[in-house]
Amino acid sequence: METLEQAGFEAYFVGGYVRDRLWGKPVKDIDIATSALPEAVTGLFARTIPTGLQHGTVTVMMEGIAFEVTTFRKDSDYADYRRPDRVEFISDLEEDLRRRDFTVNAMAMDRNGNIRDPFGGRQDMERKLLRCVGDPEERFSEDALRMLRCVRFASAYGLEVDARTWQALLNRRELLSHVAMERVRVELARTLAGPDPLRGLRLAADSGLLAYTKEPLEWSFSRPEAECLSPRMAALEKLEDPLHRWILVMMESRLNSANAEQLLRLLTFSGKEIERIVKAVKVHEHGLLGWPLQAAEQFEELPESSPAERWKLGVLQSGVQAVEDWLVVMNAVSETGQLPPEIDGSVLSQGPDWLTEMPLTGIKELAVSGQDLIRASGKPAGPWVGQAMARLLKLAAAGRIANNREELIQEALNGDW
């Protein structure tokens, strides 16, 4: 900023940096607005990245920190309800602040800490009020994503939404259909990862916003009555991992694993995230006193199996990560006193120990291979090898036989394959 000013330009911190500094919250991004044109900014600094020259933004790298430096600008019409058709570079800071979404984001601060606040953002902060700059219907029509940002900011900062702003959101919510699903997912993810995710979901449900996305989302949060906002959802804030929060949301949305997977794909989650969430939902979906039902059905091969053995074979089927994720979520739910009646509380308390006791959790950990069984038996390869290996895995995981090469081969040779 000193460099820009010494070159004859104005420069101010703007947006979230000012808001979070005034609130005493950790600062994530550093945005600077300046009267300097992009080419002037590029010429003043040794390391720059042309992040968005068409919108006047240059990223300046200094001491390993990225500074987003944007020329004062005035936006034209928003034909796609998301980004301006073109921008006009200007020299007036107040006009630049006028185009921003909410008053709490429309403040500027010079490098000496002096605040420029033409739209009353600081007063709104004191009143804990979220209010659009100017006409809220215009702000939401310019960029429909601002409606989801409204929900996120209100929940993250504990703000009440101004009445005119909320009514404008209800009036313009159909414009959300113009926003890419990836952007919808980012805002929802930020809301769910925030300090009050339950309030964010309530606001989203009360607004009915999620009934207007580009791709229809078939889940409870698309409706104001939001059946899934059950007492168990209070566990959300107890879960630190955002994916654990999504697992609980899927469970409480009463979605089966297939429908959960479809919804997550529509929201453009990564394949790895989808797999992890859906596997934990499957553990819950097929639950029988806390362990997977399909696994329990396989215990005909292990007569008189104990709860611990059932659990261990359930782990083999579902995978360690899925079971650990399910345990974390269910223990958080248990702390709310709202554990579903079909879940055996003792399983939650003993499950981690049973998991730790397991000598192996996958077939690659067996002390024998299929080739070992073929050589020891003298029989040709065939389906029997896979059946024998699966049987040995169950016996070893349940602790009925040691994961020892000789014992495993002897057990396989005794089998009727």
Side-chain angles (χ1 to χ4, degrees), residues 2-9 44:
E2 182 178 0
T3 299
L4 287 164
E5 290 174 359
Q6 287 179 348
F9 302 110
L44 285 171

Side-chain angles (χ1 to χ4, degrees), residues 16-29:
Y17 179 87
V18 181
R19 179 196 67 226
D20 290 339
R21 277 286 297 270
L22 292 176
W23 251 317
K25 295 183 178 293
V27 172
K28 298 175 184 176
D29 303 311

Side-chain angles (χ1 to χ4, degrees), residues 73-91:
R73 74 185 207 196
K74 182 178 181 180
D75 297 338
S76 65
D77 293 335
Y78 290 67
D80 64 355
Y81 305 101
R82 181 69 184 94
R83 297 191 182 281
D85 297 337
R86 58 183 176 81
V87 300
E88 176 187 346
F89 299 139
I90 57 177
S91 58

